[in-house]
Amino acid sequence: FRGCSGGSTPSTAPPRLLTAVRLNYTPALTTEPPLGGQKTASTFVLDQPRCVFDDYGNADIWLVVALDRATSTFNNTTRPGTPETAFQSFPDPVHAYMTLNTTLVNYPCPRPAGDITVLRVGSETSCAQDVARPTCNGPLPGPGPYRVKFLALEGSVPVAETKWSLPITLTEAKSPNTISTTRSGHSAGMIAITTILSILFAILLAGLVAMLISDSCSGSSTFSKPESVTVRRYNTHHVYDQPAARL
């Protein structure tokens, strides 16, 4: 039915964004001593969201990793495993990817004794370049900063989400060209020890030289030319046989 004033076409309403329940939980770096350290140049370790999604037993729980500047533009309705959320295109043109999906059974509450309750983000190297694995938990491409949140999806519908974490900046490895080789790079204690040893060596060397000079002066002697020895020559007398007396 067209109104009498017709001529104008009805405007198309913008798609309604699905909103998820915002949970009072903020992901954070673990305070437990995980193997390999809390942060490296390409990974960081989070606490698992235990006792957070207990009311969403049918949901898949995803970790969203985003650039710090991209958190305000991330759309919860973007589906995981698509080119828009693929790790292999992060951080450009994709500014946030989805990974480490699991179900509530892997986040039991309360925590059983002896359970490992951390997640290492960036630990998978085998799928980092595999476009067939868009949800790869691959090494992070730079120091960041990054921010993360957990998102529960029932099918493709977002039903619950945590708050975004505080910015996470990874460890940066020092370039060999930036390492100082001058004395200023050494500690004051080492400089003092080196100076003392140099002074002691100089004193020892001076004492050794003085001792050699003293020994040389006290042990010198005057050598005189030995008198020539004259050997007198003696001529032996010849002994002649006397002729026999004549009879």
Side-chain angles (χ1 to χ4, degrees):
F1 177 80
R2 179 173 299 205
C4 296
S5 62
S8 62
T9 57
S11 60
T12 303
R16 185 171 65 90
L17 297 180
L18 300 176
T19 58
V21 175
R22 178 67 65 88
L23 303 175
N24 188 26
Y25 177 81
T26 302
L29 294 174
T30 184
T31 56
E32 298 181 15
L35 183 64
Q38 185 190 64
K39 293 188 295 184
T40 68
S42 60
T43 69
F44 58 88
V45 183
L46 299 172
D47 283 325
Q48 292 181 358
R50 298 293 181 101
C51 307
V52 176
F53 293 97
D54 291 350
D55 295 333
Y56 305 93
N58 296 324
D60 289 327
I61 303 169
W62 291 83
L63 177 70
V64 182
V65 182
L67 297 175
D68 181 32
R69 57 184 170 83
T71 55
S72 60
T73 59
F74 177 76
N75 189 344
N76 284 348
T77 62
T78 305
R79 298 184 61 181
T82 62
E84 291 77 14
T85 58
F87 167 80
Q88 288 76 18
S89 298
F90 182 80
D92 188 29
V94 171
H95 302 321
Y97 67 96
M98 300 172 72
T99 187
L100 291 177
N101 62 304
T102 188
T103 59
L104 191 60
V105 69
N106 290 315
Y107 294 148
C109 177
R111 180 182 80 172
D115 264 17
I116 297 175
T117 60
V118 297
L119 298 173
R120 181 171 290 278
V121 181
S123 62
E124 293 184 73
T125 57
S126 60
C127 58
Q129 304 298 325
D130 186 358
V131 293
R133 296 271 310 276
T135 60
C136 176
N137 179 30
L140 293 159
Y146 306 102
R147 295 176 72 182
V148 300
K149 73 174 180 179
F150 292 96
L151 175 64
L153 301 178
E154 290 183 354
S156 59
V157 179
V159 292
E161 64 177 345
T162 68
K163 299 176 182 179
W164 287 102
S165 71
L166 294 174
I168 299 171
T169 302
L170 302 185
T171 303
E172 290 190 73
K174 280 191 174 182
S175 169
N177 296 330
T178 63
I179 299 175
S180 174
T181 57
T182 61
R183 173 170 290 188
S184 60
H186 300 289
S187 66
M190 181 165 293
I191 295 174
I193 292 175
T194 304
T195 304
I196 293 172
L197 290 177
S198 300
I199 294 173
L200 291 177
F201 179 75
I203 294 173
L204 180 62
L205 183 61
L208 181 61
V209 172
M211 183 175 65
L212 291 176
I213 294 174
S214 174
D215 288 347
S216 175
C217 293
S218 61
S220 61
S221 59
T222 303
F223 295 95
S224 57
K225 183 178 179 181
E227 295 181 358
S228 59
V229 179
T230 301
V231 178
R232 296 182 64 184
R233 183 176 181 181
Y234 292 91
N235 291 326
T236 57
H237 295 280
H238 295 285
V239 178
Y240 297 98
D241 291 336
Q242 296 297 326
R246 294 181 180 177
L247 297 176

